[in-house]
Amino acid sequence: MATQCKLACAVVLLGMVAFAPYAEAGVSCSTVYGDLMPCLGYIMGSGKQVPAACCSGINSLYNAAATTADRQAVCSCIKSAAKGVSLDVNRAAGVLSKCGVSVSYKISADMDCSKVE
């Protein structure tokens, strides 16, 4: 189960790092992992379409991360979970757009969460 959480977070890092664990942030890592779990299969290469539950989770997380601190907290949660996990980077990078979510910065595995606004 912990590995699945790590993989789900890694998925969103590359496709959704608009969001991570500072004390003042209102979005917890458990929320991030729960919202992104439905994306795991797709990011790992299963299926040709992003599941509706994945997009629902992404949109829920996107809406929950209303402040800069929230978005930085989400980013940090995802980066922490992504360490040492291999995934389909191309699929992960495309999840946001396939779910109709856009962010104003480039998503990458090495992005600096402190610069997320």
Side-chain angles (χ1 to χ4, degrees):
M1 182 72 164
T3 300
Q4 290 176 341
C5 287
K6 287 181 180 183
L7 294 173
C9 290
V11 164
V12 179
L13 166 66
L14 298 175
M16 159 170 221
V17 179
F19 323 105
Y22 302 131
E24 67 274 7
V27 180
S28 70
C29 286
S30 62
T31 297
V32 173
Y33 304 153
D35 283 349
L36 302 179
M37 189 59 68
C39 303
L40 183 60
Y42 175 79
I43 299 301
M44 298 298 291
S46 174
K48 294 188 184 238
Q49 294 185 15
V50 176
C54 173
C55 289
S56 177
I58 286 174
N59 281 292
S60 175
L61 188 58
Y62 183 80
N63 290 326
T67 68
T68 296
D70 290 340
R71 290 184 289 274
Q72 290 175 345
V74 172
C75 174
S76 293
C77 291
I78 293 167
K79 284 189 75 167
S80 291
K83 290 179 181 175
V85 176
S86 86
L87 57 122
D88 186 327
V89 176
N90 292 325
R91 280 186 170 227
V95 169
L96 284 180
S97 64
K98 289 180 184 272
C99 291
V101 173
S102 64
V103 293
S104 62
Y105 44 83
K106 183 177 180 181
I107 305 302
S108 70
D110 61 349
M111 85 181 276
D112 182 351
C113 293
S114 70
K115 294 185 180 179
V116 171
E117 294 183 2

